[in-house]
Amino acid sequence: MRNIAILSDGYSDYLVLKKFTQCIIEKHRGEVLEDACFLDLGKLNIVEPLRKYIDKAGKKSDYSYHSPEANELVKELIGIYYGCYNRFMKENDLVTNKDIMLIYADSERLLMNRSNYFNDWAYSIKGLINLSIEHFYEKMVTQGYSHSNLPFIIPLILFPSSEILVATCKYNAVTERLRELTPNPSLKEKIYGTSSINDAIQSGALFLALDTYLIDSNLEEIYREVPEARILIHSLTS
């Protein structure tokens, strides 16, 4: 049984990503992952460092991987990964390369069109997170860790938020212009009927939406319309 730790922006993101992950693995690998396989890394998150980087880099229009802003982001991210790994170890006693650490954050930025994901301002975020993960592994190796004792770290940044996964399953992404909708209130209201996550959880609307729309028959729609999610799908099915 593999264990999957999820670093997210909040509890609703954790629920969406857990369901998405379960769906991918069950369809493509035939494994049913129970809730006990998942760990919510709670208050740890990469949202603030990302927002700070996006704001500073945007003002200078400098999205290179070695700018002062990029270097600061990478350094902060590595520190957060240490915290995630230690929490993972504390909860599971033993972590191996069969386990997964999913690093997620809402971008809170609108793509407007899915093709804009490949523009520098959007794609550089993914590149810098990948770079920070490589640096994290390097630091762990120099401390004596073996690859067999380190989890497979998968980064995921969604534009503008995790709700885009559910919305894409429920609606036609193009005709409904989903990429132009703000995460709150527009996307949340569109899929949960309320902008309040607490209300959506208490009423059961969030769980109903996930069980109804975030299902294996809709994975191809996500793969087509949400390019930033493709790396997760490939990583979990390889």
Side-chain angles (χ1 to χ4, degrees):
M1 180 181 70
R2 72 179 73 197
N3 295 302
I4 301 177
I6 300 177
L7 176 72
S8 63
D9 194 9
Y11 186 55
S12 65
D13 293 323
Y14 170 75
L15 293 173
V16 172
L17 296 172
K18 182 180 70 171
K19 183 66 165 60
F20 186 38
T21 301
Q22 288 173 317
C23 186
I24 295 169
I25 291 179
E26 183 172 357
K27 178 177 181 179
H28 292 280
R29 302 184 68 89
E31 297 179 37
V32 178
L33 295 185
E34 304 296 338
D35 288 351
C37 297
F38 292 85
L39 171 65
D40 181 2
L41 290 171
K43 294 182 179 180
L44 293 168
N45 69 70
I46 63 172
V47 175
E48 287 309 314
L50 276 182
R51 286 176 179 165
K52 185 167 58 175
Y53 164 76
I54 291 172
D55 289 342
K56 289 183 177 180
K59 291 176 181 178
K60 298 171 63 176
S61 296
D62 182 1
Y63 300 104
S64 63
Y65 288 177
H66 297 289
S67 67
E69 292 77 20
N71 291 336
E72 181 181 2
L73 173 62
V74 169
K75 182 178 180 181
E76 289 189 67
L77 292 178
I78 292 171
I80 293 171
Y81 302 156
Y82 275 121
C84 292
Y85 180 73
N86 289 334
R87 173 78 190 283
F88 208 174
M89 286 286 291
K90 181 179 179 180
E91 296 293 331
N92 291 284
D93 295 325
L94 177 66
V95 173
T96 75
N97 56 6
K98 300 297 183 183
D99 296 317
I100 293 170
M101 201 158 75
L102 176 57
I103 304 298
Y104 173 76
D106 293 337
S107 70
E108 300 290 345
R109 298 298 177 99
L110 301 182
L111 281 184
M112 304 306 289
N113 185 288
R114 75 179 185 195
S115 63
N116 288 335
Y117 168 65
F118 301 100
N119 291 344
D120 285 348
W121 69 269
Y123 200 81
S124 67
I125 299 172
K126 175 184 175 181
L128 286 169
I129 292 178
N130 283 330
L131 180 62
S132 67
I133 291 171
E134 295 290 349
H135 276 297
F136 171 75
Y137 281 139
E138 176 65 14
K139 288 181 179 295
M140 296 300 278
V141 167
T142 60
Q143 293 176 30
Y145 287 85
S146 165
H147 79 282
S148 62
N149 300 122
L150 296 172
F152 178 26
I153 303 178
I154 307 174
L156 177 64
I157 305 296
L158 293 174
F159 294 81
S161 65
S162 63
E163 283 82 19
I164 193 66
L165 296 176
V166 189
T168 299
C169 294
K170 186 176 181 180
Y171 301 101
N172 182 293
V174 177
T175 58
E176 294 291 326
R177 303 171 74 171
L178 296 180
R179 289 298 194 171
E180 299 178 28
L181 300 181
T182 58
N184 194 15
S186 300
L187 273 177
K188 286 182 173 61
E189 289 181 346
K190 197 168 185 67
I191 59 176
Y192 302 136
T194 175
S195 61
S196 169
I197 289 299
N198 286 334
D199 289 349
I201 291 175
Q202 292 296 323
S203 69
L206 185 146
F207 300 102
L208 179 61
L210 298 187
D211 291 339
T212 304
Y213 302 108
L214 197 49
I215 55 178
D216 58 7
S217 60
N218 288 329
L219 287 179
E220 282 300 322
E221 193 66 23
I222 291 176
Y223 189 87
R224 180 169 55 251
E225 295 296 338
V226 188
E228 62 267 37
R230 293 170 187 163
I231 189 64
L232 177 61
I233 296 173
H234 280 289
S235 296
L236 295 178
T237 57
S238 60

